[in-house]
Amino acid sequence: AEPGTLRARRRKAARESIAERRDEGRAGPRSEASRAAAILRAMSRIIGIGFVLGVLCASCGGGSGAKRYELSDGTRVEVDAEGGVRLFAPDGRALAGLAPRAPTLRRFTPDVRMLQGFFTFRRRELEERPLDRFEGSALEDGRVVLRFSSEEGASGALSIGVDTPSVSTSIRFDAQWAGSEGREVSYALPFACDEEGSFVGFGAQYNQTDQRGEAFTLWVQEQGLARTGTGLFSGDEHTTYFPMPWWLDWRGHGVLVDTLAKVDVDLCLRDPEVVWVEVEHRVPGAAVGDEDTSFEAVVLHGPTPRDVVRQLGDRVGRPSRPPEWAFSPWIAIQGGSEAVRDEVTRLREAEIPFSAVWVQDWIGGEVIIGDVYDLTYRWVTDEELYPDLPGLIAELRSDDVRFLGYANSFVIDGLDHYDEMAAMGMLPRDPAGEIYRFGITVSEGSVADFTNPATDAYVLGYLRAMVRDLGIDGWMADFGEWLPYDSQIFAGDPALVHNDYPRLWHRLNEQVMEEERPDGDWVVFSRSGWTGDQSAQQIVWIGDQEADWEPTDGLPTVLPAILNLGLSAVPLVTHDIAGYSGGPSTKELFQRWTELGAFTTFMRTHEGLAALANWGWDSDAETTAHFRRFARVHEALVPELLALADEAVETSMPPMRHLALVFPDDLGSRAVSDQFLLGDDLLVAPVVEEGASSREVYLPPGTWFHVW
């Protein structure tokens, strides 16, 4: 019988039993004999139904009845009659499971376009195969294996087993679909979504922390301007430099989809009982089901959210701790050697504490339109702006000020590196075999192909010279999102290398610094990433926010991005005071952003894209006093920040913490995305609304006092 028929029989038997007891009750008080007879009749009915169910399940094979298995670490796996899976930790807690829906295969011809680092994905000649025949489950070589098929001949095997070395369970899915050779294929698995489920993390997400009810693509790309979903360069709510196929459930477990491929998620939107996770694979000339095309997810057991973040860090890696001076404020300055000297003098006169100047235009810059000042993308000094850069850096260091610069992975046509790198095969090629060129802001060029060891050696030489010859103490390792989907590269499939490209870029920066400054006296900060980049980058800044108050891409988006990165085992995070794109920024915006910056792990300013018009710390006396006050607050927090950073590099616990990391049992804390805890005790609630002089604050359980 079908499972639905069995359920109907059980309901009918229950109704008859209830009616029988009701009728007997109407007849008045029963004797002991009649009560015993009623019990025997009920037991007979239950035993009879049980016998029938047992015979039916035996005749239908392993897939028709629920089965329980225990893995070698004590994890319990329950498989229901329709192929749904429930996982239970050895201590009995429920973990992430799979909904009783058909795993689905799709094959198609991809149509992918890139414009200024934004990607659009379309599918042509799409075919779909739900594996809607559950054929049963069994224990094979220590793993629980479920088998599925479809009428059209596609099949798949889902296996669940102990994952090592972390406290976790591995879920793997492999499939076969005749005729898929050379085509793009995706695997979609239906994870369970229950009423209490929560979905936080996913890398740098700017809207909120819990993404339940959202559906979006995870793919490294430009974040976008304004992020309203309109216009060529606007981006949308979920376009991000640092996505990650990962979520944490506040009940104390997490799910990591272990892949470099593009991932699409639907978090209980289309079906309120299902989280659909779809992974794309492109393996030209290979059959679906090869080992490198399998879908694998890892369920981390917890049992607390803090444990889950630590377990994630155990898998993906952790950053090195920056030196002590990096925790004091950094000031962005541009315009040449004399501009740097002048502003350092004025900072000293204003008695503003700071430890570093960030001079991004050491490579050159120019006004491109109006008040917009943009950089010259290369890895050598602009001798006109900075005629004796080593001397300037030594002079600043003698005054206990560090010098930070700028580097990115672009290779611009017409500048120092393009012809040489193109001739030596260090740039990707387009499908026609020509150098892959595209627009980069107001220039044109390509990106370095870091899958080629020769490219690594070439770029390392310039990065090494920045430290060894110039004395630069660190820099922003910018970009990393633009490797084209259809490019020809030295090694690997670009559709898979794309999301790993930021790590390939960041590891070179880290390698140089570890070689040249083995004492750890250096800082590198970057914005792009994917799973596994955690160990290749030191500090992550959340990218280019608009210099405004808008909830889509302005000041209000800073905290959700920082919190979600922290929940994704990216603990050391910063942001631009007061935004980068758009503008010009206003006095009020600069002051509010300064307040938030004071309680951020790393407090740093940015002059922004409209550098000549944006408000700054020295725009008027009141702003200077305000900035001095909060720079001093940040300086007073340095001992605490150092201790929190030490904890972060050991456990991945972020210094800026979501309230629910500290109060996991408080349901109210889980919904808060505009406050954070610095450590476990200091609650910070920034004002991020224009014109507001107060705001409501959520207080978790406990006794609180107002710091001011």
Side-chain angles (χ1 to χ4, degrees), residues 105-107 154-156 173-187 281-295:
L105 306 180
R106 296 182 178 93
R107 63 186 180 192
S155 62
F173 182 65
D174 292 278
Q176 295 79 39
W177 188 357
S180 295
E181 293 81 359
R183 298 195 63 188
E184 184 112 353
V185 177
S186 70
Y187 300 166
H281 294 285
R282 183 177 68 181
V283 188
V288 181
D290 285 359
E291 187 63 30
D292 61 353
T293 69
S294 62
F295 178 124

Side-chain angles (χ1 to χ4, degrees), residues 390-430:
L392 174 63
I393 293 173
E395 177 187 325
L396 292 169
R397 185 177 272 265
S398 69
D399 193 25
D400 203 24
V401 177
R402 304 305 178 106
F403 186 97
L404 302 175
Y406 177 92
N408 71 39
S409 54
F410 288 129
V411 185
I412 303 299
D413 191 5
L415 294 182
D416 303 71
H417 316 292
Y418 185 87
D419 290 340
E420 190 174 14
M421 293 183 71
M424 293 190 294
M426 297 179 181
L427 305 179
R429 303 254 170 191
D430 64 22

